[in-house]
PDB file of all heavy atoms in Angstrom:
ATOM      1  N   ASP E  15    -188.479  73.727 -29.999  1.00 93.00           N
ATOM      2  CA  ASP E  15    -189.269  74.151 -28.878  1.00 93.00           C
ATOM      3  C   ASP E  15    -189.328  75.735 -28.782  1.00 93.00           C
ATOM      4  O   ASP E  15    -190.416  76.329 -28.493  1.00 93.00           O
ATOM      5  CB  ASP E  15    -188.806  73.615 -27.421  1.00 93.00           C
ATOM      6  CG  ASP E  15    -188.982  72.012 -27.436  1.00 93.00           C
ATOM      7  OD1 ASP E  15    -189.941  71.543 -28.105  1.00 93.00           O
ATOM      8  OD2 ASP E  15    -188.343  71.409 -26.585  1.00 93.00           O
ATOM      9  N   VAL E  16    -188.179  76.354 -29.030  1.00 95.00           N
ATOM     10  CA  VAL E  16    -188.076  77.841 -28.970  1.00 95.00           C
ATOM     11  C   VAL E  16    -188.858  78.408 -30.238  1.00 95.00           C
ATOM     12  O   VAL E  16    -189.717  79.273 -30.066  1.00 95.00           O
ATOM     13  CB  VAL E  16    -186.559  78.264 -29.170  1.00 95.00           C
ATOM     14  CG1 VAL E  16    -186.619  79.773 -29.401  1.00 95.00           C
ATOM     15  CG2 VAL E  16    -185.838  77.870 -27.856  1.00 95.00           C
ATOM     16  N   PHE E  17    -188.805  77.678 -31.380  1.00 93.00           N
ATOM     17  CA  PHE E  17    -189.634  78.166 -32.422  1.00 93.00           C
ATOM     18  C   PHE E  17    -191.156  78.056 -32.238  1.00 93.00           C
ATOM     19  O   PHE E  17    -191.914  79.076 -32.492  1.00 93.00           O
ATOM     20  CB  PHE E  17    -189.274  77.332 -33.800  1.00 93.00           C
ATOM     21  CG  PHE E  17    -190.108  77.670 -34.899  1.00 93.00           C
ATOM     22  CD1 PHE E  17    -190.194  78.904 -35.478  1.00 93.00           C
ATOM     23  CD2 PHE E  17    -190.988  76.667 -35.544  1.00 93.00           C
ATOM     24  CE1 PHE E  17    -190.992  79.132 -36.656  1.00 93.00           C
ATOM     25  CE2 PHE E  17    -191.738  76.853 -36.570  1.00 93.00           C
ATOM     26  CZ  PHE E  17    -191.743  78.239 -37.082  1.00 93.00           C
ATOM     27  N   VAL E  18    -191.561  76.946 -31.737  1.00 92.00           N
ATOM     28  CA  VAL E  18    -192.848  76.786 -31.306  1.00 92.00           C
ATOM     29  C   VAL E  18    -193.423  77.763 -30.241  1.00 92.00           C
ATOM     30  O   VAL E  18    -194.474  78.321 -30.308  1.00 92.00           O
ATOM     31  CB  VAL E  18    -193.209  75.368 -30.859  1.00 92.00           C
ATOM     32  CG1 VAL E  18    -194.621  75.210 -30.295  1.00 92.00           C
ATOM     33  CG2 VAL E  18    -193.146  74.318 -32.054  1.00 92.00           C
ATOM     34  N   ALA E  19    -192.559  78.034 -29.281  1.00 94.00           N
ATOM     35  CA  ALA E  19    -192.901  79.058 -28.265  1.00 94.00           C
ATOM     36  C   ALA E  19    -192.972  80.465 -28.884  1.00 94.00           C
ATOM     37  O   ALA E  19    -193.825  81.241 -28.462  1.00 94.00           O
ATOM     38  CB  ALA E  19    -191.823  79.123 -27.073  1.00 94.00           C
ATOM     39  N   ASP E  20    -192.106  80.798 -29.764  1.00 94.00           N
ATOM     40  CA  ASP E  20    -192.213  81.995 -30.398  1.00 94.00           C
ATOM     41  C   ASP E  20    -193.393  82.258 -31.283  1.00 94.00           C
ATOM     42  O   ASP E  20    -194.027  83.339 -31.272  1.00 94.00           O
ATOM     43  CB  ASP E  20    -190.825  82.338 -31.284  1.00 94.00           C
ATOM     44  CG  ASP E  20    -189.623  82.568 -30.420  1.00 94.00           C
ATOM     45  OD1 ASP E  20    -189.759  82.778 -29.268  1.00 94.00           O
ATOM     46  OD2 ASP E  20    -188.489  82.505 -30.967  1.00 94.00           O
ATOM     47  N   LEU E  21    -193.826  81.140 -31.933  1.00 93.00           N
ATOM     48  CA  LEU E  21    -194.924  81.179 -32.807  1.00 93.00           C
ATOM     49  C   LEU E  21    -196.170  81.468 -31.930  1.00 93.00           C
ATOM     50  O   LEU E  21    -197.015  82.264 -32.212  1.00 93.00           O
ATOM     51  CB  LEU E  21    -195.068  79.886 -33.609  1.00 93.00           C
ATOM     52  CG  LEU E  21    -196.217  79.771 -34.476  1.00 93.00           C
ATOM     53  CD1 LEU E  21    -196.199  80.885 -35.558  1.00 93.00           C
ATOM     54  CD2 LEU E  21    -196.264  78.358 -35.171  1.00 93.00           C
ATOM     55  N   ALA E  22    -196.230  80.683 -30.864  1.00 92.00           N
ATOM     56  CA  ALA E  22    -197.331  80.817 -29.845  1.00 92.00           C
ATOM     57  C   ALA E  22    -197.450  82.233 -29.204  1.00 92.00           C
ATOM     58  O   ALA E  22    -198.402  82.812 -29.147  1.00 92.00           O
ATOM     59  CB  ALA E  22    -197.171  79.789 -28.732  1.00 92.00           C
ATOM     60  N   ALA E  23    -196.264  82.821 -28.980  1.00 92.00           N
ATOM     61  CA  ALA E  23    -196.260  84.159 -28.503  1.00 92.00           C
ATOM     62  C   ALA E  23    -196.787  85.176 -29.456  1.00 92.00           C
ATOM     63  O   ALA E  23    -197.537  86.048 -29.063  1.00 92.00           O
ATOM     64  CB  ALA E  23    -194.882  84.514 -28.068  1.00 92.00           C
ATOM     65  N   ALA E  24    -196.391  84.892 -30.772  1.00 91.00           N
ATOM     66  CA  ALA E  24    -196.856  85.908 -31.847  1.00 91.00           C
ATOM     67  C   ALA E  24    -198.466  85.807 -31.859  1.00 91.00           C
ATOM     68  O   ALA E  24    -199.142  86.714 -31.985  1.00 91.00           O
ATOM     69  CB  ALA E  24    -196.264  85.554 -33.182  1.00 91.00           C
ATOM     70  N   LEU E  25    -199.013  84.520 -31.926  1.00 90.00           N
ATOM     71  CA  LEU E  25    -200.378  84.330 -31.958  1.00 90.00           C
ATOM     72  C   LEU E  25    -201.157  84.798 -30.738  1.00 90.00           C
ATOM     73  O   LEU E  25    -202.298  85.469 -30.802  1.00 90.00           O
ATOM     74  CB  LEU E  25    -200.824  82.852 -32.225  1.00 90.00           C
ATOM     75  CG  LEU E  25    -200.275  82.238 -33.570  1.00 90.00           C
ATOM     76  CD1 LEU E  25    -200.451  80.793 -33.534  1.00 90.00           C
ATOM     77  CD2 LEU E  25    -201.098  82.922 -34.619  1.00 90.00           C
ATOM     78  N   THR E  26    -200.533  84.688 -29.571  1.00 89.00           N
ATOM     79  CA  THR E  26    -201.129  85.214 -28.426  1.00 89.00           C
ATOM     80  C   THR E  26    -201.139  86.726 -28.338  1.00 89.00           C
ATOM     81  O   THR E  26    -202.084  87.413 -27.945  1.00 89.00           O
ATOM     82  CB  THR E  26    -200.254  84.796 -27.077  1.00 89.00           C
ATOM     83  OG1 THR E  26    -200.349  83.259 -27.081  1.00 89.00           O
ATOM     84  CG2 THR E  26    -200.806  85.288 -25.714  1.00 89.00           C
ATOM     85  N   ALA E  27    -200.139  87.301 -28.846  1.00 86.00           N
ATOM     86  CA  ALA E  27    -200.081  88.768 -29.037  1.00 86.00           C
ATOM     87  C   ALA E  27    -201.237  89.389 -29.997  1.00 86.00           C
ATOM     88  O   ALA E  27    -201.933  90.353 -29.571  1.00 86.00           O
ATOM     89  CB  ALA E  27    -198.664  89.261 -29.695  1.00 86.00           C
ATOM     90  N   LEU E  28    -201.634  88.637 -30.965  1.00 84.00           N
ATOM     91  CA  LEU E  28    -202.738  89.069 -31.751  1.00 84.00           C
ATOM     92  C   LEU E  28    -204.056  88.726 -31.041  1.00 84.00           C
ATOM     93  O   LEU E  28    -205.042  89.537 -31.183  1.00 84.00           O
ATOM     94  CB  LEU E  28    -202.643  88.241 -33.030  1.00 84.00           C
ATOM     95  CG  LEU E  28    -201.748  88.867 -34.059  1.00 84.00           C
ATOM     96  CD1 LEU E  28    -201.859  88.039 -35.449  1.00 84.00           C
ATOM     97  CD2 LEU E  28    -202.028  90.275 -34.421  1.00 84.00           C
ATOM     98  N   ALA E  29    -204.108  87.565 -30.472  1.00 82.00           N
ATOM     99  CA  ALA E  29    -205.356  87.255 -29.672  1.00 82.00           C
ATOM    100  C   ALA E  29    -205.658  88.195 -28.589  1.00 82.00           C
ATOM    101  O   ALA E  29    -206.831  88.507 -28.325  1.00 82.00           O
ATOM    102  CB  ALA E  29    -205.339  85.809 -29.166  1.00 82.00           C
ATOM    103  N   THR E  30    -204.668  88.670 -27.847  1.00 84.00           N
ATOM    104  CA  THR E  30    -204.949  89.610 -26.818  1.00 84.00           C
ATOM    105  C   THR E  30    -204.933  91.102 -27.214  1.00 84.00           C
ATOM    106  O   THR E  30    -205.382  91.925 -26.421  1.00 84.00           O
ATOM    107  CB  THR E  30    -203.767  89.425 -25.735  1.00 84.00           C
ATOM    108  OG1 THR E  30    -202.393  89.732 -26.390  1.00 84.00           O
ATOM    109  CG2 THR E  30    -203.764  88.129 -25.122  1.00 84.00           C
ATOM    110  N   ASP E  31    -204.490  91.420 -28.411  1.00 82.00           N
ATOM    111  CA  ASP E  31    -204.634  92.808 -28.962  1.00 82.00           C
ATOM    112  C   ASP E  31    -204.917  92.769 -30.392  1.00 82.00           C
ATOM    113  O   ASP E  31    -204.207  93.026 -31.310  1.00 82.00           O
ATOM    114  CB  ASP E  31    -203.266  93.490 -28.726  1.00 82.00           C
ATOM    115  CG  ASP E  31    -203.230  94.996 -29.107  1.00 82.00           C
ATOM    116  OD1 ASP E  31    -204.366  95.491 -29.314  1.00 82.00           O
ATOM    117  OD2 ASP E  31    -202.237  95.579 -29.221  1.00 82.00           O
ATOM    118  N   PRO E  32    -206.291  92.441 -30.756  1.00 73.00           N
ATOM    119  CA  PRO E  32    -206.639  92.197 -32.090  1.00 73.00           C
ATOM    120  C   PRO E  32    -206.607  93.475 -32.938  1.00 73.00           C
ATOM    121  O   PRO E  32    -206.475  93.444 -34.142  1.00 73.00           O
ATOM    122  CB  PRO E  32    -208.231  91.666 -32.026  1.00 73.00           C
ATOM    123  CG  PRO E  32    -208.620  91.902 -30.619  1.00 73.00           C
ATOM    124  CD  PRO E  32    -207.405  92.138 -29.753  1.00 73.00           C
ATOM    125  N   LYS E  33    -206.639  94.725 -32.211  1.00 77.00           N
ATOM    126  CA  LYS E  33    -206.539  95.925 -32.934  1.00 77.00           C
ATOM    127  C   LYS E  33    -205.145  96.077 -33.572  1.00 77.00           C
ATOM    128  O   LYS E  33    -205.007  96.856 -34.475  1.00 77.00           O
ATOM    129  CB  LYS E  33    -206.918  97.101 -32.008  1.00 77.00           C
ATOM    130  CG  LYS E  33    -208.325  97.151 -31.773  1.00 77.00           C
ATOM    131  CD  LYS E  33    -208.648  98.320 -30.860  1.00 77.00           C
ATOM    132  CE  LYS E  33    -210.131  98.362 -30.404  1.00 77.00           C
ATOM    133  NZ  LYS E  33    -210.444  99.446 -29.525  1.00 77.00           N
ATOM    134  N   ARG E  34    -204.159  95.345 -33.067  1.00 78.00           N
ATOM    135  CA  ARG E  34    -202.881  95.514 -33.477  1.00 78.00           C
ATOM    136  C   ARG E  34    -202.698  95.213 -35.020  1.00 78.00           C
ATOM    137  O   ARG E  34    -201.906  95.876 -35.770  1.00 78.00           O
ATOM    138  CB  ARG E  34    -201.953  94.529 -32.830  1.00 78.00           C
ATOM    139  CG  ARG E  34    -200.496  94.460 -33.194  1.00 78.00           C
ATOM    140  CD  ARG E  34    -199.715  93.569 -32.231  1.00 78.00           C
ATOM    141  NE  ARG E  34    -198.278  93.825 -32.548  1.00 78.00           N
ATOM    142  CZ  ARG E  34    -197.316  93.087 -31.982  1.00 78.00           C
ATOM    143  NH1 ARG E  34    -197.565  92.249 -31.049  1.00 78.00           N
ATOM    144  NH2 ARG E  34    -196.097  93.323 -32.406  1.00 78.00           N
ATOM    145  N   ALA E  35    -203.433  94.261 -35.546  1.00 75.00           N
ATOM    146  CA  ALA E  35    -203.491  93.943 -36.883  1.00 75.00           C
ATOM    147  C   ALA E  35    -204.303  94.831 -37.818  1.00 75.00           C
ATOM    148  O   ALA E  35    -204.371  94.619 -38.968  1.00 75.00           O
ATOM    149  CB  ALA E  35    -203.822  92.442 -37.133  1.00 75.00           C
ATOM    150  N   ALA E  36    -205.040  95.646 -37.288  1.00 72.00           N
ATOM    151  CA  ALA E  36    -206.064  96.563 -38.105  1.00 72.00           C
ATOM    152  C   ALA E  36    -205.291  97.152 -39.104  1.00 72.00           C
ATOM    153  O   ALA E  36    -204.401  97.934 -38.992  1.00 72.00           O
ATOM    154  CB  ALA E  36    -206.779  97.466 -37.117  1.00 72.00           C
ATOM    155  N   GLY E  37    -205.776  97.093 -40.359  1.00 64.00           N
ATOM    156  CA  GLY E  37    -205.152  97.779 -41.507  1.00 64.00           C
ATOM    157  C   GLY E  37    -204.017  97.134 -42.102  1.00 64.00           C
ATOM    158  O   GLY E  37    -203.509  97.622 -43.157  1.00 64.00           O
ATOM    159  N   TRP E  38    -203.501  95.964 -41.450  1.00 69.00           N
ATOM    160  CA  TRP E  38    -202.317  95.326 -42.110  1.00 69.00           C
ATOM    161  C   TRP E  38    -202.636  94.982 -43.558  1.00 69.00           C
ATOM    162  O   TRP E  38    -201.693  95.222 -44.396  1.00 69.00           O
ATOM    163  CB  TRP E  38    -201.943  94.036 -41.363  1.00 69.00           C
ATOM    164  CG  TRP E  38    -201.185  94.288 -40.097  1.00 69.00           C
ATOM    165  CD1 TRP E  38    -200.682  95.507 -39.697  1.00 69.00           C
ATOM    166  CD2 TRP E  38    -200.781  93.296 -39.239  1.00 69.00           C
ATOM    167  NE1 TRP E  38    -200.049  95.233 -38.466  1.00 69.00           N
ATOM    168  CE2 TRP E  38    -200.038  93.930 -38.163  1.00 69.00           C
ATOM    169  CE3 TRP E  38    -200.975  91.978 -39.094  1.00 69.00           C
ATOM    170  CZ2 TRP E  38    -199.605  93.338 -37.161  1.00 69.00           C
ATOM    171  CZ3 TRP E  38    -200.399  91.329 -37.963  1.00 69.00           C
ATOM    172  CH2 TRP E  38    -199.801  91.936 -36.986  1.00 69.00           C
ATOM    173  N   GLY E  39    -203.788  94.500 -43.908  1.00 58.00           N
ATOM    174  CA  GLY E  39    -204.023  94.090 -45.362  1.00 58.00           C
ATOM    175  C   GLY E  39    -204.003  95.325 -46.263  1.00 58.00           C
ATOM    176  O   GLY E  39    -203.425  95.217 -47.192  1.00 58.00           O
ATOM    177  N   ALA E  40    -204.552  96.391 -45.776  1.00 54.00           N
ATOM    178  CA  ALA E  40    -204.636  97.648 -46.507  1.00 54.00           C
ATOM    179  C   ALA E  40    -203.173  98.135 -46.708  1.00 54.00           C
ATOM    180  O   ALA E  40    -202.779  98.577 -47.832  1.00 54.00           O
ATOM    181  CB  ALA E  40    -205.521  98.578 -45.858  1.00 54.00           C
ATOM    182  N   ARG E  41    -202.366  98.157 -45.659  1.00 53.00           N
ATOM    183  CA  ARG E  41    -201.002  98.656 -45.794  1.00 53.00           C
ATOM    184  C   ARG E  41    -200.195  97.698 -46.740  1.00 53.00           C
ATOM    185  O   ARG E  41    -199.211  98.154 -47.307  1.00 53.00           O
ATOM    186  CB  ARG E  41    -200.307  98.691 -44.415  1.00 53.00           C
ATOM    187  CG  ARG E  41    -200.845 100.002 -43.563  1.00 53.00           C
ATOM    188  CD  ARG E  41    -199.899 100.152 -42.454  1.00 53.00           C
ATOM    189  NE  ARG E  41    -199.891  99.164 -41.461  1.00 53.00           N
ATOM    190  CZ  ARG E  41    -200.768  99.011 -40.454  1.00 53.00           C
ATOM    191  NH1 ARG E  41    -201.762  99.897 -40.281  1.00 53.00           N
ATOM    192  NH2 ARG E  41    -200.646  98.068 -39.533  1.00 53.00           N
ATOM    193  N   ALA E  42    -200.461  96.394 -46.747  1.00 55.00           N
ATOM    194  CA  ALA E  42    -199.721  95.501 -47.585  1.00 55.00           C
ATOM    195  C   ALA E  42    -199.837  96.038 -49.019  1.00 55.00           C
ATOM    196  O   ALA E  42    -198.853  95.867 -49.784  1.00 55.00           O
ATOM    197  CB  ALA E  42    -200.179  94.160 -47.443  1.00 55.00           C
ATOM    198  N   GLY E  43    -200.961  96.426 -49.409  1.00 50.00           N
ATOM    199  CA  GLY E  43    -201.146  96.941 -50.736  1.00 50.00           C
ATOM    200  C   GLY E  43    -200.583  98.271 -51.143  1.00 50.00           C
ATOM    201  O   GLY E  43    -200.289  98.617 -52.303  1.00 50.00           O
ATOM    202  N   GLY E  44    -200.369  99.083 -50.046  1.00 41.00           N
ATOM    203  CA  GLY E  44    -199.836 100.330 -50.311  1.00 41.00           C
ATOM    204  C   GLY E  44    -198.354 100.587 -49.912  1.00 41.00           C
ATOM    205  O   GLY E  44    -197.904 101.637 -49.964  1.00 41.00           O
ATOM    206  N   GLY E  45    -197.696  99.617 -49.510  1.00 37.00           N
ATOM    207  CA  GLY E  45    -196.336  99.682 -49.028  1.00 37.00           C
ATOM    208  C   GLY E  45    -196.281  99.331 -47.661  1.00 37.00           C
ATOM    209  O   GLY E  45    -197.244  98.956 -46.930  1.00 37.00           O
ATOM    210  N   PRO E  46    -195.013  99.439 -47.071  1.00 35.00           N
ATOM    211  CA  PRO E  46    -194.810  98.964 -45.735  1.00 35.00           C
ATOM    212  C   PRO E  46    -195.619  99.739 -44.591  1.00 35.00           C
ATOM    213  O   PRO E  46    -195.942  99.176 -43.611  1.00 35.00           O
ATOM    214  CB  PRO E  46    -193.288  99.219 -45.552  1.00 35.00           C
ATOM    215  CG  PRO E  46    -192.811  99.286 -46.872  1.00 35.00           C
ATOM    216  CD  PRO E  46    -193.786  99.801 -47.726  1.00 35.00           C
ATOM    217  N   SER E  47    -195.950 100.973 -44.859  1.00 34.00           N
ATOM    218  CA  SER E  47    -196.779 101.668 -43.836  1.00 34.00           C
ATOM    219  C   SER E  47    -197.555 102.783 -44.591  1.00 34.00           C
ATOM    220  O   SER E  47    -197.079 103.378 -45.574  1.00 34.00           O
ATOM    221  CB  SER E  47    -196.041 102.192 -42.702  1.00 34.00           C
ATOM    222  OG  SER E  47    -195.216 103.329 -43.126  1.00 34.00           O
ATOM    223  N   SER E  48    -198.624 103.144 -43.979  1.00 33.00           N
ATOM    224  CA  SER E  48    -199.411 104.161 -44.661  1.00 33.00           C
ATOM    225  C   SER E  48    -198.796 105.504 -44.495  1.00 33.00           C
ATOM    226  O   SER E  48    -199.071 106.469 -45.256  1.00 33.00           O
ATOM    227  CB  SER E  48    -200.803 104.124 -44.059  1.00 33.00           C
ATOM    228  OG  SER E  48    -200.770 104.479 -42.583  1.00 33.00           O
ATOM    229  N   THR E  49    -197.872 105.696 -43.564  1.00 33.00           N
ATOM    230  CA  THR E  49    -197.180 106.933 -43.426  1.00 33.00           C
ATOM    231  C   THR E  49    -195.995 107.152 -44.387  1.00 33.00           C
ATOM    232  O   THR E  49    -195.690 108.226 -44.725  1.00 33.00           O
ATOM    233  CB  THR E  49    -196.763 107.273 -41.938  1.00 33.00           C
ATOM    234  OG1 THR E  49    -195.929 106.100 -41.607  1.00 33.00           O
ATOM    235  CG2 THR E  49    -197.931 107.337 -41.038  1.00 33.00           C
ATOM    236  N   SER E  50    -195.401 106.043 -44.797  1.00 33.00           N
ATOM    237  CA  SER E  50    -194.104 106.199 -45.566  1.00 33.00           C
ATOM    238  C   SER E  50    -194.477 106.380 -47.112  1.00 33.00           C
ATOM    239  O   SER E  50    -193.671 106.909 -47.768  1.00 33.00           O
ATOM    240  CB  SER E  50    -193.422 104.898 -45.533  1.00 33.00           C
ATOM    241  OG  SER E  50    -194.017 103.764 -46.070  1.00 33.00           O
ATOM    242  N   ARG E  51    -195.688 106.007 -47.508  1.00 31.00           N
ATOM    243  CA  ARG E  51    -196.018 106.175 -48.952  1.00 31.00           C
ATOM    244  C   ARG E  51    -197.435 106.787 -49.253  1.00 31.00           C
ATOM    245  O   ARG E  51    -198.000 106.493 -50.295  1.00 31.00           O
ATOM    246  CB  ARG E  51    -195.938 104.839 -49.601  1.00 31.00           C
ATOM    247  CG  ARG E  51    -194.527 104.157 -49.669  1.00 31.00           C
ATOM    248  CD  ARG E  51    -194.492 102.966 -50.457  1.00 31.00           C
ATOM    249  NE  ARG E  51    -193.229 102.354 -50.308  1.00 31.00           N
ATOM    250  CZ  ARG E  51    -192.827 101.236 -50.876  1.00 31.00           C
ATOM    251  NH1 ARG E  51    -193.696 100.603 -51.625  1.00 31.00           N
ATOM    252  NH2 ARG E  51    -191.684 100.811 -50.675  1.00 31.00           N
ATOM    253  N   GLY E  52    -197.878 107.480 -48.246  1.00 34.00           N
ATOM    254  CA  GLY E  52    -199.229 108.026 -48.502  1.00 34.00           C
ATOM    255  C   GLY E  52    -200.236 107.103 -48.087  1.00 34.00           C
ATOM    256  O   GLY E  52    -199.998 105.849 -47.660  1.00 34.00           O
TER     257      GLY E  52
END
């Protein structure tokens, strides 16, 4: 129940703030963050 609630909270966070994930795919190819590796 805690796992499902935590999963739902993560999905809700993205649904309520879709800009939060902007650029994640691009950063995945360049390293953990665009500031740490250019």
